């Protein structure tokens, strides 16, 4: 059924994946606390790839990304990893801003929405 909602990796507070119809919503992904912005970004993107695969999609079907950085001073370092990762011609819409994250050891969090093929 097109309007069915399914949840994956669900806990009391949140689900890592929510699928409504053919739209996939991922929870915010963070990297290894205390690592560099580049490494945390790589960790986030690897988690996103795994979650998209679990939901039956991939990076060619990304729709929108929201990126939170603990400091906009890290924008270029994060973008260097992001730009290498996004498939050519498949960039989602995107917003990036500065926010106080869950702990000072987190420097980047990425939230993604995608479609199922």
């Amino acid at each position: 059924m097109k309007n069915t909602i399914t949840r994956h990796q669900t806990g009391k507070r949140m689900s890592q994946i929510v699928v409504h119809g053919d739209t996939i919503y991922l929870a915010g992904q963070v990297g290894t606390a205390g690592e560099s912005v580049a490494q945390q970004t790589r960790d986030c993107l690897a988690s996103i790839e795994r979650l998209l695969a679990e939901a039956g999609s991939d990076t060619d079907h990304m729709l929108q990304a929201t990126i939170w950085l603990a400091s906009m001073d890290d924008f270029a370092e994060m973008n260097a990893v992001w730009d290498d990762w996004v498939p050519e011609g498949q960039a989602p819409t995107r917003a990036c801003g500065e926010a106080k994250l869950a702990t000072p050891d987190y420097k980047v969090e990425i939230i993604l929405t995608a479609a199922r093929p």
Side-chain angles (χ1 to χ4, degrees), residues 18-74:
V18 173
V19 180
H20 178 248
D22 287 328
T23 305
I24 301 162
Y25 302 90
L26 302 183
Q29 300 301 302
V30 295
T32 304
E35 291 291 333
S36 69
V37 170
Q39 185 58 53
Q40 287 192 28
T41 302
R42 283 190 288 275
D43 292 346
C44 291
L45 299 176
S47 293
I48 287 169
E49 286 182 26
R50 282 191 303 276
L51 293 169
L52 287 176
E54 181 178 330
S57 191
D58 56 39
T59 56
D60 285 343
H61 294 87
M62 297 183 294
L63 300 173
Q64 182 178 43
T66 303
I67 302 171
W68 295 114
L69 295 172
S71 171
M72 287 305 289
D73 293 341
D74 297 327

